[in-house]
Amino acid sequence: MFLEAAVTAENVDTTLWARDGALAAAIRDEHHNPRYLAGTRLPEHLHSTHDLEEAVADADVVVMGVPSHGFRD
């Protein structure tokens, strides 16, 4: 899900919703994801928020990605 958002952000401003506020802040402010993509710089056009309403407010397209381990929950 994070890599897909990064690829999209290479072409258009992209907002990623993250359940974890600290992770959303790291992606937004430092353009990296220390938990899942340590050492990988994320595109400047990739924004992140912990607020779902904010994430979809101005969206033309919404894509939902669920990790396979998350389906069970």
Side-chain angles (χ1 to χ4, degrees):
M1 149 177 58
F2 296 105
L3 285 178
E4 291 85 349
V7 169
T8 303
E10 292 292 336
N11 298 303
V12 64
D13 281 341
T14 302
T15 301
L16 175 70
W17 173 68
R19 292 178 294 169
D20 181 323
L23 181 59
I27 294 169
R28 181 191 62 237
D29 300 337
E30 301 167 26
H31 301 285
H32 80 282
N33 181 336
R35 184 177 303 155
Y36 298 108
L37 298 171
T40 301
R41 178 100 175 131
L42 297 170
E44 296 292 324
H45 293 284
L46 179 60
H47 312 284
S48 185
T49 181
H50 179 62
D51 182 338
L52 182 56
E53 187 173 329
E54 178 186 344
V56 300
D58 296 322
D60 293 324
V61 176
V62 175
V63 176
M64 181 177 168
V66 179
S68 58
H69 68 272
F71 279 108
R72 191 170 298 153
D73 293 340

